[in-house]
Every structure is written in structure tokens, then in C-alpha cells.
Amino acid sequence: MAFQYQSLAAQLLEKIQNAELPAGQKLLSLRQFANLQKVSLNTAKSCYELLESQGYIHVKNKSGYFVSYQKNTSSSIPVPQHPDFQSQARDISNLELQLEIQQSSINSRLIHLGAIQLSPKHVPVEALRRSIQRALKHSQPEDFLYSDKQGHIRLRQALSEHWAEDGFYISQDDIYISNGCMPALSVMIQHLSKEGDSVIVPTPNFNGQLQMLAGLKRKIIEIPADTQGFDLERLEQVMQSSGAKACLLTANYQNPLGFCLSNAEKEKIAQLAARYQCYVIEDDIYGECSFSSSRPLPIKYWDQQGYVIFCGSVSKSLSTAYRVGWFCIPQRLAHLKATLLMQNITVNTPLQLALADLIYSRAYREHLQQLKPILKQQVEQYRHMIQLAFNGVELRINQPLGGYALWLQLPECIDGLDMYYFAQQHGINIVPGEVFGEGQRYKNCIRLNAGHELSTDIRAAVTLLADWVKAQLSSSTLVKQAV
């Protein structure tokens, strides 16, 4: 849980980073700031001292506190370029490689640059412990019997109220608690399509989703995506002509590109889904990992006809070990309730009650407000460090607006899969771009996890990867000169 001075510092930092408080501007005096925020002078002083220690503000003798000039490292790094291509139904061809890489990415003995997961240091362990204890203390006798397969009513109520506070409402009766987000997506894919059917996905797309679709024997129809979003005109064309009954989309901080669609684009997607009766299965797992204080609205907010299924979990915002997710079905699909309940994998009741307590106690929201500026700063530190390590290499990196996935595009002669195997030999986890789509369009790309604090080991691992790339480029140049 953040102290009051830390919360105030996070609010000021957001204004500095958004240029609401431009470099060189004088801040309120400590006494003025304390009076404005209705806090003690000591709390105001601790807030300013924290920002000063981090280099965001500085004090001038007898003049007061001023915003420091911030070096913008982001603008000097170009973002990846992505190819256009024809959208057509095709099988996912690299399932064995997908499975191999998925197993490697969760290997705890390797340096954590593979799976997108938060550092344990960012998990509010004490708050979780207190919530688990309170949940057990106040549990009812029926909580120790078989639980409601739709999910405990207290957690469904807590989630409904939590989302309403962020500006969108989903009835507790429409919420189904699942054992994580991927099981939720899988259940809905199976109910909205059959084996051999095609599902629309933007690419590059999270490799775990593609692996799931391959396992369910679904084809995919890819539409081009880049760091700004994906092609809505192509989405409409495919919805209209392909006969696909479902598409799998992430609108908020998509993995691996990190984009967040505008409200107008989200509204347009909801309208297209209704017009062509093509269900949108919305994976909003990163929705609460924004770099700003406000949570972006999901596509579901604009769903008036019941063609959007809202899915998510706390895996990326709280802990990957906390296997609690959900899917929310509209009344249009209420007839599926019985079969959904039969297939849904239930979550043990104490975990559900603990999460409900974490939400109702405000500890979860306080954790999110503390986490957001940390993620923003951490991701930017990674980007700057990578830029320095790859100095001299034609490198492009995404600039995510939330989440903590980094997508690197390397020179065309660099093979991301070869880089993956090299990294494995040296105890490092990365994910090659090849598994984020079909047609080997992303062979010269890799994805890195920026969810861990930037340690000496991670810096050394990135430097080793950069040296390997430089050696590959040098070798390629020598070969060309010899020819």
C-alpha cells in the first residue's frame, strides 16, 4: 500500500511526464502544496523530496522547487514497421515451436525476458496476505462446500462495482469466474465456433492465443497491425466476406505492440460486430496496466447489441500466480449458460473471496495506482538501456502506452529464432517474432518482458544479445564483401 506522500508524488509525476507541468516551471511552495492537498507539511516535504531524489524536480536556494528538464529518450528510437498482406484463412503451422517456446518462457531458472509477467517485488504480498486472512475469518459455512460454478457472488459483485468505478457497468449476473484469462477465451471460442472455423486476429498477435487456437483446431484470418493499432477497414472487409463467426481482439495495450485504440475505434468495432453478427471476444488482460491514472474503456462499453464478450484476469496487474479470470456474456448468449457452466473450470473459493476483499478494502485499487508510474518508468528505462546496448544497430522498438511488452525489430538479416536459441544456451529467455503470426513475417523481431526491475543480470543479458547481433551483422558484411 502506498503512503500518502508516494501517492501525491505519483500524481505530480504524471503531470510532469504529460507536460502539464513543463520543465522549468516553479512548483507551489511546500506550505501552499500542503494546504492545497490538505496534508501535513511533513507529508508535502516527503513528496517533494521523493521526486527530487528521482531527478524529476530540483530546489534552487531561496527560490523554491522547479521541474527539472527531462531528457526524452523515446523520440530518438524509431518504432517498428510492419508489412501489409492479404487476409485469408490459414492453419497455424508452428504449434510444436509454440509449445517449446511457451515451456521455455516460464522456466524460472532463466533470466526473465520471455514470459510477460510482473516481478514478485511489484506484487502487494502483505495486502494479499491480509485479504486472505480476512476472507477466511469472515467466511460462511457454505463457503467450504462445492462453490457456484459461475463464481462466488461476492467476487462477481466486487468486480461489477470495481468496473463501474472505472466508467463501465457489467451486471454481476453476466460475470463468470474462470481459472485465468486463457481458459475464459478458450471456453468462448469453443462455444462460438467449431473445429475448422476461422477466427479473425490482428498480427503480430500474442503467441499464447495462437497456440490456443491451434490446439482447438481453428484457422486464423490475420489482419495487419502496427504500433498504432490495426486496420479497421480490413477488419470490416473480413467480417463481411469471410463468414467468420468470431474475432479475438485486444484493444487496450495489446501484446506485443502495446497500442491502445481510441474510443472512436472501439465504438466502431462494436458497431461492426453487430452489423455483421461476428462476435468480438475481447481480451482485456492489460486494461489495468495503463501508464496514466485513468483506465481506458473496453470495447464492451459500446456494445449495444450483445456481440462483445469481455474477458480478463488479474494475472498481469496483480500476479501471474493468482489464477482468477472472468468472461462476461451478454443476454444474447444467455441460452449458453448451462453448457458454459459445465465446461468452466472453477476457482477455489478462498482465492475468490480474498480477491473480493482486496477490491472492497481498496487495496487493489491502491496497488494499481502505485504500479502504473512504476511500469511507465521501468519500460522507459528498458527502452533506453536497449538503445544504448544496440548502439550502431538499425533497431526499432515499440513505445507502449501501457503493459510491459517490448517488441524489437532488428535488421532483416537477423533471425529471431537463431537469437532465441543463442539466448537459451546462455540462460536467457526471449520470444522470437516468428511465433506471433504466420508466413514468417516477423522473423527479424523478438519480444522482451519489461515487467522485472532492471537488474545487473538483465542489463548483462541484453548486452550479450546486442553483441551477438553485432557479430551476426559483421559476419554478414564480410560475406557480402567476399562475394
Side-chain angles (χ1 to χ4, degrees):
M1 184 181 298
F3 292 106
Q4 193 170 23
Y5 78 91
Q6 292 174 319
S7 298
L8 290 173
Q11 293 171 23
L12 277 179
L13 176 56
E14 182 178 352
K15 291 182 179 180
I16 292 171
Q17 292 176 326
N18 291 338
E20 293 178 46
L21 292 173
Q25 179 168 322
K26 185 178 179 179
L27 298 175
L28 296 175
S29 70
L30 288 175
R31 192 170 301 279
Q32 288 172 328
F33 183 74
N35 290 336
L36 178 67
Q37 299 294 335
K38 298 180 180 178
V39 297
S40 69
L41 194 60
N42 282 336
T43 298
K45 189 170 184 289
S46 295
C47 169
Y48 276 25
E49 287 178 345
L50 176 60
L51 290 172
E52 184 183 11
S53 69
Q54 295 173 338
Y56 292 108
I57 66 176
H58 62 278
V59 63
K60 291 182 181 179
N61 189 31
K62 298 183 180 180
S63 297
Y65 286 90
F66 294 79
V67 177
S68 298
Y69 286 88
Q70 299 298 314
K71 182 179 179 181
N72 187 354
T73 60
S74 303
S75 59
S76 61
I77 313 175
V79 296
Q81 297 174 325
H82 293 286
D84 193 4
F85 51 83
Q86 294 297 314
S87 299
Q88 56 188 13
R90 58 193 304 170
D91 292 314
I92 299 169
S93 60
N94 49 8
L95 181 57
E96 289 186 6
L97 180 61
Q98 294 271 12
L99 292 170
E100 174 195 331
I101 289 172
Q102 193 273 336
Q103 286 299 113
S104 298
S105 68
I106 60 175
N107 187 340
S108 61
R109 292 175 296 176
L110 301 179
I111 293 175
H112 300 287
L113 287 171
I116 303 300
Q117 55 185 339
L118 278 178
S119 165
K121 293 183 179 180
H122 297 332
V123 177
V125 176
E126 282 303 305
L128 277 170
R129 180 184 59 79
R130 290 191 294 269
S131 286
I132 290 171
Q133 290 176 337
R134 281 194 298 265
L136 289 173
K137 180 179 179 180
H138 298 295
S139 59
Q140 302 299 312
E142 57 267 25
D143 294 331
F144 295 94
L145 302 174
Y146 284 117
S147 61
D148 185 341
K149 294 205 71 174
Q150 187 172 344
H152 200 286
I153 184 61
R154 183 163 173 78
L155 177 56
R156 290 188 280 125
Q157 289 171 338
L159 287 171
S160 180
E161 293 176 25
H162 177 71
W163 295 331
E165 194 171 333
D166 286 320
F168 63 101
Y169 177 75
I170 298 177
S171 168
Q172 64 193 35
D173 296 330
D174 296 337
I175 302 171
Y176 293 69
I177 304 302
S178 62
N179 189 35
C181 187
M182 291 299 288
L185 299 176
S186 178
V187 165
M188 295 314 307
I189 291 290
Q190 291 178 73
H191 279 81
L192 297 176
S193 64
K194 61 182 184 297
E195 289 188 11
D197 282 352
S198 295
V199 176
I200 304 168
V201 296
T203 58
N205 188 74
F206 170 43
N207 58 305
Q209 290 183 355
L210 299 182
Q211 178 185 323
M212 173 197 68
L213 292 170
L216 295 176
K217 299 181 180 178
R218 267 55 170 184
K219 298 177 185 293
I220 58 171
I221 303 176
E222 299 169 282
I223 55 176
D226 58 29
T227 54
Q228 300 301 309
F230 48 84
D231 188 338
L232 293 192
E233 289 187 8
R234 183 74 59 85
L235 176 64
E236 180 171 11
Q237 291 170 5
V238 173
M239 280 184 170
Q240 184 178 22
S241 62
S242 69
K245 299 172 183 174
C247 54
L248 182 52
L249 305 178
T250 297
N252 295 325
Y253 317 125
Q254 185 251 20
N255 175 5
L257 299 179
F259 61 74
C260 182
L261 299 182
S262 68
N263 287 347
E265 289 172 316
K266 295 170 188 174
E267 183 177 16
K268 176 69 171 178
I269 291 170
Q271 292 170 348
L272 291 176
R275 184 181 306 160
Y276 299 108
Q277 299 182 3
C278 179
Y279 286 95
V280 169
I281 303 171
E282 181 177 14
D283 181 350
D284 197 53
I285 197 169
Y286 293 98
E288 295 188 316
C289 297
S290 169
F291 292 164
S292 65
S293 59
S294 59
R295 184 211 199 284
L297 292 168
I299 301 170
K300 181 64 182 174
Y301 175 81
W302 287 274
D303 179 31
Q304 297 181 354
Q305 302 298 321
Y307 281 95
V308 180
I309 297 94
F310 179 73
C311 304
S313 84
V314 294
S315 295
K316 305 305 180 185
S317 59
L318 186 62
S319 169
T320 49
Y322 209 106
R323 304 302 304 168
V324 177
W326 50 81
F327 55 93
C328 307
I329 65 169
Q331 286 303 305
R332 176 178 292 279
L333 296 177
H335 62 282
L336 294 177
K337 180 173 182 176
T339 52
L340 285 170
L341 291 179
M342 283 192 295
Q343 291 193 15
N344 189 31
I345 302 173
T346 55
V347 179
N348 74 71
T349 301
L351 273 184
Q352 294 189 59
L353 292 174
L355 181 56
D357 181 273
L358 196 72
I359 293 171
Y360 277 126
S361 70
R362 309 296 295 176
Y364 180 55
R365 190 164 290 278
E366 289 170 3
H367 158 69
L368 292 176
Q369 292 306 315
Q370 187 175 10
L371 178 66
K372 290 174 180 182
I374 291 173
L375 286 181
K376 181 175 182 177
Q377 183 179 35
Q378 191 167 282
V379 166
E380 196 50 48
Q381 287 174 343
Y382 268 77
R383 295 181 77 249
H384 183 53
M385 180 269 297
I386 292 168
Q387 182 187 30
L388 292 176
F390 282 82
N391 184 40
V393 176
E394 187 180 337
L395 175 73
R396 294 175 176 270
I397 314 176
N398 68 322
Q399 188 171 352
L401 300 173
Y404 36 101
L406 289 178
W407 181 254
L408 280 62
Q409 185 178 50
L410 300 158
E412 289 189 9
C413 62
I414 299 299
D415 189 316
L417 189 57
D418 288 344
M419 191 175 182
Y420 161 78
Y421 287 124
F422 169 81
Q424 288 281 301
Q425 293 170 3
H426 292 81
I428 305 167
N429 249 327
I430 65 172
V431 183
E434 186 170 327
V435 295
F436 290 85
E438 284 296 307
Q440 298 190 330
R441 300 186 195 98
Y442 314 112
K443 277 185 69 67
N444 61 323
C445 299
I446 62 170
R447 190 201 66 188
L448 301 181
N449 169 48
H452 288 255
E453 55 280 354
L454 196 52
S455 65
T456 301
D457 285 346
I458 289 177
R459 289 179 183 273
V462 171
T463 300
L464 183 65
L465 295 176
D467 289 344
W468 179 85
V469 169
K470 292 173 184 178
Q472 296 296 306
L473 291 173
S474 177
S475 175
S476 175
T477 300
L478 289 174
V479 169
K480 288 180 180 179
Q481 289 176 347
V483 173

